Amino acid sequence: MIKKIDSDKLVTLINSSPNFADPEALRREGEIFFIGANLPIHSTLETMYESYCQESSELFHVTFGEAGMFEHNLEMVRQIKRNFSIRLMGRIEYPLSAVQVERVYLAGLDLLDIQQSSYEAQPDDRWRTALNTANTTFTRWSVVSSIDAAHATPRAVHDKIVELLAEGVIPLLKPAGESALWPLEETTNTFNFLAIEWHRHRVPLKPVMPLLRLSTPFVLAEPPGFLRGVIEKLQDRHTLATSDLRRHLRTSGAEASFESAGL
């Protein structure tokens, strides 16, 4: 699936690493619809529907705002899930409790990006708690964690990749910027290491493939032929339907528990 690394694209990513995580913006990039969860819900859904009818997307990526907007952001996720049959990924840049991890899953997220950097100021190991809860709540390989290479050595990044994969988490890599001390060759080697480890652990990359096309230097295999493409889409729909059924069966009892606890 991953053929090689495009050195020109890697240089571009290093010089201007894309960051589409904006809780106040709505935009389409490639096959991804980036959705700011702080936006007004109904008008945003209308705009999304009009755009989606004109050009389909493979992934909806929702960026949550500050912690005080959590309930509004959850409702945005719920409404998107009710109105679109598509994989939904969420990025939340503040520490989550175990209850909040459960609630974002029940709201409709299929993939969750938990960044360790968001937990560094916490006095306890809330990062590990959130990660463990996400792993037991979401389906296997549905939790990702972005590693910012600008604030770590290559050895530390390699170790973090190995650690996350051992936990059943998909590591993603944001390359060090042009001001970092990493040589280009070292960055290339780290992406190669990441690809090898993905393959060794048999990580199913299809759910995050649109994100890889946009934010990594990997040259990916050409799209399959028409018949194979139809089969893969049907398989993907089946996987999503199974995931939604699993969520539905879990929701009623969990929401009753949240309400009784005043959450």
Side-chain angles (χ1 to χ4, degrees):
M1 192 173 290
I2 295 175
K3 298 170 65 175
K4 62 178 183 179
I5 288 179
D6 183 334
S7 56
D8 291 336
K9 186 177 181 182
L10 177 57
V11 171
T12 300
L13 289 172
I14 291 173
N15 291 335
S16 57
S17 185
N19 181 15
F20 303 108
D22 186 346
E24 306 288 346
L26 178 68
R27 61 189 296 181
R28 182 195 293 275
E29 294 287 342
E31 300 171 318
I32 307 177
F33 219 142
F34 289 94
I35 305 154
N38 282 0
L39 293 170
I41 294 174
H42 295 297
S43 59
T44 299
L45 289 174
E46 289 176 358
T47 302
M48 287 172 60
Y49 183 76
E50 293 173 0
S51 178
Y52 187 71
C53 289
Q54 296 173 7
E55 183 180 356
S56 63
S57 302
E58 294 296 323
L59 178 69
F60 282 2
H61 184 289
V62 181
T63 300
F64 278 50
E66 62 278 11
M69 292 293 289
F70 184 73
E71 295 299 331
H72 177 87
N73 296 165
L74 273 187
E75 186 59 26
M76 175 70 85
V77 171
R78 291 190 192 99
Q79 292 302 324
I80 293 172
K81 197 65 176 179
R82 287 171 185 164
N83 288 278
F84 297 90
S85 179
I86 193 168
R87 187 168 280 107
L88 196 56
M89 180 175 183
R91 174 172 173 151
I92 305 175
E93 296 187 349
Y94 53 81
L96 295 173
S97 67
V99 170
Q100 287 175 316
V101 171
E102 175 90 358
R103 294 190 69 195
V104 297
Y105 169 75
L106 295 177
L109 289 186
D110 302 295
L111 299 162
L112 177 62
D113 185 353
I114 298 182
Q115 302 179 68
Q116 187 172 9
S117 59
S118 300
Y119 294 75
E120 290 175 351
Q122 296 298 313
D124 55 9
D125 197 9
R126 202 177 299 182
W127 146 257
R128 181 63 56 187
T129 301
L131 194 65
N132 290 340
T133 303
N135 272 334
T136 57
T137 303
F138 286 76
T139 56
R140 181 168 172 77
W141 298 117
S142 294
V143 180
V144 306
S145 187
S146 301
I147 304 171
D148 190 347
H151 304 292
T153 64
R155 180 69 265 168
V157 171
H158 285 214
D159 290 344
K160 180 57 64 176
I161 289 170
V162 171
E163 176 190 349
L164 290 171
L165 286 168
E167 297 282 352
V169 177
I170 303 178
L172 301 178
L173 180 60
K174 179 182 178 182
E178 59 182 341
S179 61
L181 300 178
W182 285 36
L184 181 61
E185 181 180 1
E186 194 68 67
T187 305
T188 302
N189 291 340
T190 301
F191 271 105
N192 276 323
F193 178 80
L194 177 62
I196 290 169
E197 290 299 301
W198 278 342
H199 179 73
R200 189 167 72 86
H201 287 80
R202 299 181 179 181
V203 178
L205 295 175
K206 190 176 187 306
V208 295
M209 194 61 68
L211 200 58
L212 300 186
R213 291 194 181 97
L214 193 64
S215 61
T216 73
F218 294 124
V219 177
L220 305 171
E222 293 297 321
F226 176 76
L227 181 58
R228 182 60 187 169
V230 170
I231 293 173
E232 287 192 358
K233 283 186 178 297
L234 289 174
Q235 291 174 335
D236 198 44
R237 293 297 179 190
H238 179 267
T239 300
L240 276 176
T242 302
S243 178
D244 288 343
L245 177 59
R246 177 178 180 268
R247 180 184 291 109
H248 175 73
L249 293 174
R250 184 168 180 166
T251 298
S252 298
E255 287 189 339
S257 297
F258 292 147
E259 288 175 3
S260 64
L263 301 173

